Amino acid sequence: MSRLLMAHQVAGYPDDETALAAGEALIKGGAGILEIQLAFSDPSADGVAIQTACSSVLRRGYTVRDGFTYIKKLHDMHPDMPLFLMTYASLAYRPGIENFVETARDAGITGFIIPDLPFDCDEGLGAACRKYKLHQIPVAAPSMTKERLHKMATAGFEYIYTVLRAGITGGKTVITDDMLSFLDTAREGGSKLLGGFGITSGRQAEVLAEHVYAVVAGSVFVNIITGSYDEKNPVESRKVIAEKIEEKAAELSGI
């Protein structure tokens, strides 16, 4: 049974051509939303896999502008594919929140996931998103108080990114009754839930899909790239990566 998959990738990892091949493979494998991350030097929510990818991208001098160039290229190839930008506050704040949002909009971004900008203290992100008719997507975690979660859930957001457990991305996630209760509270205002953190198998995705709008997976794809990329033979490894990512995306999306 098919389900909506939101697939994460780090722009520019491990190189421009392979990143594009990976993006194409995610779409071919059934991803209905792409969450594209701009590499950041000190990510607070990302696990080892994504931290390593970000460090690799930054070491080769990759910039925010390069990330937007990649996003624009992918958007031009797939103009109907929703692209959500994941990054951290300092990258958005430095050029000015509104300028950042406008630049992202022009590249094809339709939503923003910025974990360290709280939904009720967002440095103007919400106002900029409303101005350009884009989605501000706050992040909800099980560690939030019920009062704060209720406030977020009833604030009128189209989407809420729901972190399924405490900690960082990439670790094993087991779906529990407490987790499902958390998701029930997060959706009480009618927001569409994007649920992830540690989703690696079709079975996990199948169970979770009953409780969220879209299943989110990221580190599983980054690990495929890291484990299959050969910088001495990038063309051949690119083909292998594309095949493996498409296969895994198809498993997670259930197509």
Side-chain angles (χ1 to χ4, degrees), residues 163-243:
V163 175
L164 299 181
R165 56 175 170 75
I168 57 176
T169 60
K172 184 177 180 181
T173 295
V174 178
I175 298 170
T176 65
D177 288 341
D178 286 345
M179 186 184 297
L180 296 180
S181 177
F182 158 69
L183 293 174
D184 287 340
T185 303
R187 75 160 58 81
E188 65 182 359
S191 298
K192 298 172 182 176
L193 303 188
L194 313 171
F197 254 48
I199 300 301
T200 60
S201 72
R203 177 55 183 160
Q204 280 181 308
E206 181 181 13
V207 172
L208 179 60
E210 297 179 11
H211 306 277
V212 298
Y213 175 73
V215 174
V216 182
S219 294
V220 63
F221 298 121
V222 174
N223 283 329
I224 288 173
I225 295 171
T226 302
S228 302
Y229 183 68
D230 180 2
E231 62 181 11
K232 295 180 180 178
N233 194 4
V235 175
E236 286 303 315
S237 61
R238 196 170 297 142
K239 295 177 183 177
V240 173
I241 287 168
E243 290 174 359

Side-chain angles (χ1 to χ4, degrees), residues 13-70:
Y13 182 69
D15 59 47
D16 293 349
E17 294 81 4
T18 306
L20 190 60
E24 288 276 339
L26 290 170
I27 294 170
K28 289 180 181 178
I33 303 171
L34 291 190
E35 176 193 6
I36 303 177
Q37 179 170 349
L38 297 178
F40 188 66
S41 59
D42 189 24
S44 59
D46 296 314
V48 174
I50 293 177
Q51 286 187 34
T52 300
C54 285
S55 296
S56 174
V57 170
L58 293 173
R59 277 197 303 271
R60 63 188 190 87
Y62 203 80
T63 65
V64 170
R65 180 178 295 180
D66 293 328
F68 282 136
T69 297
Y70 169 73

Side-chain angles (χ1 to χ4, degrees), residues 100-151:
F100 183 83
V101 169
E102 183 179 14
T103 300
R105 187 277 310 269
D106 291 345
I109 290 297
T110 55
F112 296 84
I113 302 164
I114 305 182
D116 52 347
L117 276 184
F119 73 98
D120 51 358
C121 186
D122 62 16
E123 300 292 345
L125 176 64
C129 286
R130 288 189 292 273
K131 177 177 179 178
Y132 294 106
K133 296 180 172 55
L134 305 174
H135 298 294
Q136 178 189 11
I137 304 170
V139 177
S143 57
M144 297 174 69
T145 65
K146 287 187 177 180
E147 293 77 15
R148 184 163 178 78
L149 181 58
H150 172 76
K151 183 180 179 182

